[in-house]
Amino acid sequence: KLEAALKDTRPNTITAKNTNLSEALITERLRARFAQEIDHLNLAGLAIELTQAGSQHGVSRFKVSLIQSVSRNAGDILSEGEYRCVALAGFMAELATNNGGSGIIFDDPVSSLDHLHREAIAKRLAEEGRKRQVIVFTHDLPFLFLLRNACTQVDDPTQKTEIALRHVQKRQNTPGHCRNEAPEKAQDAL
């Protein structure tokens, strides 16, 4: 059987095997973690789930489906902010299932979001910051305030997330000067 398998070079064989393995080993764990992330980001009111959409070139594909109407595209129903939160939930779910400890970087993760979702994302990033390095680039000072509070104002002092603020600015028409503090406009609030 091993010799026959080695001789079988059809591209669909690898993709089919990957699909079978993903369904058996990964999908339920990823789906459960996705549901947790949806709950963390205060999206529990959305009737959505992560479903497998097949495999292509040996890579599993997943999609967000509406539980009550699987045939409809979730992107047609969700607002831009909800869609952004769902994408973040998918990313965080995948990150949690790979058991790696690498750092992660976000560039303005809260654009197009209302204040409730912004606060939920700040809390989720602060929580993740206790396990790994999380770098957030933002020009959004209210979000910076929410993120700092989520990191420092917790009931259990052992659950604080260490933070380091950096401000990158342009000086004399030369960008990229880094200061080890919050931007001047944010210093009074922080």
Side-chain angles (χ1 to χ4, degrees):
K1 286 184 178 181
L2 181 59
E3 287 178 11
L6 290 172
K7 289 178 184 176
D8 190 355
T9 58
R10 294 174 290 160
N12 291 340
T13 303
I14 293 172
T15 300
K17 182 59 81 178
N18 182 59
T19 299
N20 292 340
L21 286 172
S22 292
E23 288 173 355
L25 301 174
I26 299 171
T27 302
E28 283 309 312
R29 182 176 174 207
L30 185 61
R31 289 177 67 183
R33 187 57 194 225
F34 179 75
Q36 281 182 314
E37 294 296 339
I38 289 295
D39 191 45
H40 276 327
L41 296 176
N42 293 338
L43 294 170
L46 293 176
I48 57 176
E49 67 180 344
L50 196 60
T51 58
Q52 187 160 6
S55 296
Q56 186 177 24
H57 304 295
V59 176
S60 293
R61 304 279 185 213
F62 297 89
K63 70 176 185 172
V64 174
S65 296
L66 300 166
I67 293 172
Q68 296 164 339
S69 181
V70 178
S71 63
R72 293 208 50 200
N73 184 0
D76 294 340
I77 305 297
L78 302 176
S79 70
E80 184 179 342
E82 289 170 331
Y83 197 78
R84 188 181 263 296
C85 285
V86 167
L88 180 62
F91 173 74
M92 298 304 282
E94 187 175 346
L95 191 65
T97 58
N98 77 10
N99 299 325
S102 62
I104 51 178
I105 300 173
F106 294 95
D107 185 9
D108 265 331
V110 294
S111 60
S112 305
L113 298 183
D114 62 27
H115 68 284
L116 298 174
H117 290 114
R118 296 160 77 84
E119 187 172 1
I121 287 178
K123 288 178 180 176
R124 182 63 188 95
L125 295 180
E127 178 187 327
E128 194 65 27
R130 289 192 291 274
K131 298 180 232 170
R132 70 179 78 237
Q133 182 179 28
V134 176
I135 298 171
V136 178
F137 290 99
T138 187
H139 66 278
D140 187 324
L141 297 182
F143 176 66
L144 179 62
F145 182 74
L146 287 172
L147 188 57
R148 183 193 129 305
N149 283 350
C151 290
T152 60
Q153 295 182 359
V154 292
D155 295 333
D156 181 357
T158 64
Q159 295 300 305
K160 284 187 176 183
T161 305
E162 187 176 327
I163 59 173
L165 297 173
R166 304 290 186 265
H167 174 111
V168 181
Q169 69 183 57
K170 188 186 324 182
R171 203 183 288 162
Q172 298 173 346
N173 295 327
T174 305
H177 292 278
C178 187
R179 292 177 25 205
N180 293 334
E181 59 188 3
E184 288 178 24
K185 292 179 182 179
Q187 288 185 13
D188 290 340
L190 297 175

